[in-house]
Amino acid sequence: MFINIEVERVRRRMSKAAMARHLAIDTTILDDWIHRKRAIPADKLRALSQLFHGCSVDYLLKEGG
């Protein structure tokens, strides 16, 4: 599980639906990314990094849980 994506989403008080809208994806895709059922495309990793104010991709992809 990519726990830091969830940590940053919660830290910013953002719902999964709002985050998915920002990334122009469905919430099921977001859940699949977080639970490592699908690979996260490079452009979406960049978008996540920007959404979370410059968090590194390495930080976001740190495994946990």
Side-chain angles (χ1 to χ4, degrees), residues 5-62:
I5 294 173
E6 278 292 274
V7 167
E8 293 303 319
R9 180 185 66 77
V10 171
R11 182 177 288 158
R12 284 163 178 76
R13 298 180 182 178
M14 181 180 293
S15 69
K16 284 186 180 182
M19 187 169 150
R21 276 193 307 273
H22 180 81
L23 297 168
I25 60 169
D26 190 79
T27 56
T28 57
I29 292 172
L30 179 60
D31 282 335
D32 285 352
W33 289 352
I34 291 167
H35 294 286
R36 302 191 58 183
K37 294 179 182 175
R38 280 185 207 217
I40 305 172
D43 64 321
K44 299 301 184 182
L45 284 171
R46 283 189 298 276
L48 282 167
S49 175
Q50 292 170 351
L51 176 64
F52 297 141
H53 306 285
C55 284
S56 73
V57 170
D58 286 341
Y59 165 75
L60 293 173
L61 296 182
K62 183 178 177 187

